Coordinates of all heavy atoms in Angstrom, one line a residue:
R11 N -81.0 -10.4 17.2 CA -81.6 -11.6 16.9 C -82.4 -11.4 15.6 O -82.5 -12.3 14.6 CB -82.4 -12.2 18.0 CG -83.2 -13.5 17.6 CD -83.9 -14.0 18.9 NE -83.0 -14.2 20.0 CZ -83.4 -14.6 21.2 NH1 -84.7 -14.8 21.5 NH2 -82.5 -14.8 22.1
G15 N -82.1 -12.8 11.4 CA -83.2 -13.5 10.7 C -83.4 -12.9 9.3 O -84.0 -13.6 8.4
L19 N -81.5 -10.9 3.2 CA -82.1 -9.9 2.4 C -81.2 -8.9 1.8 O -81.5 -8.1 0.9 CB -83.3 -9.2 3.1 CG -84.4 -10.1 3.6 CD1 -85.4 -9.3 4.4 CD2 -85.2 -10.8 2.4
A21 N -77.6 -7.6 0.1 CA -76.5 -8.1 -0.8 C -75.2 -8.0 -0.1 O -74.9 -7.2 0.7 CB -76.5 -7.3 -2.1
L129 N 8.3 14.2 35.0 CA 7.3 14.9 34.2 C 6.7 14.1 33.2 O 5.5 14.2 32.8 CB 7.9 16.2 33.7 CG 8.4 17.3 34.6 CD1 9.1 18.4 33.9 CD2 7.2 17.8 35.4
V139 N -5.9 9.7 31.7 CA -7.2 10.1 32.2 C -8.1 10.7 31.1 O -9.3 10.3 31.0 CB -7.0 11.1 33.4 CG1 -8.3 11.7 33.8 CG2 -6.3 10.5 34.6
E166 N -21.9 15.6 1.6 CA -22.8 16.2 0.7 C -22.1 17.5 0.2 O -22.2 17.8 -1.0 CB -24.0 16.5 1.4 CG -25.1 17.2 0.5 CD -26.5 17.3 1.2 OE1 -26.7 16.6 2.1 OE2 -27.2 18.1 0.6
A176 N -17.8 19.2 -12.1 CA -18.1 18.4 -13.4 C -18.9 19.2 -14.4 O -18.6 19.2 -15.6 CB -19.0 17.2 -12.9
L180 N -17.7 20.1 -18.3 CA -18.6 20.0 -19.5 C -18.7 21.3 -20.2 O -18.7 21.3 -21.4 CB -20.0 19.4 -19.0 CG -20.2 18.1 -18.5 CD1 -21.5 17.7 -18.0 CD2 -19.8 17.0 -19.7
G186 N -13.8 14.1 -20.6 CA -13.1 13.1 -19.9 C -13.1 13.3 -18.3 O -13.4 12.4 -17.5
A223 N -19.9 13.8 -29.9 CA -18.4 13.6 -30.3 C -18.3 12.3 -31.1 O -17.5 12.3 -32.1 CB -17.5 13.5 -29.1
A249 N -13.1 7.7 -29.8 CA -14.5 7.7 -29.3 C -14.8 6.5 -28.3 O -14.1 5.5 -28.4 CB -15.5 7.5 -30.5
A269 N -12.1 0.1 -42.1 CA -10.8 0.9 -42.2 C -9.5 -0.1 -42.0 O -8.6 0.0 -42.6 CB -10.8 2.1 -41.2
A294 N 3.1 -12.1 -34.8 CA 4.3 -11.7 -34.3 C 5.5 -12.8 -34.5 O 5.1 -14.0 -34.7 CB 4.3 -11.2 -32.9
G297 N 5.4 -16.1 -32.3 CA 4.3 -17.0 -32.4 C 3.0 -16.4 -31.8 O 2.0 -17.1 -31.8

Side-chain angles (χ1 to χ4, degrees):
R11 181 177 299 177
L19 297 176
L129 293 175
V139 170
E166 182 173 340
L180 288 174

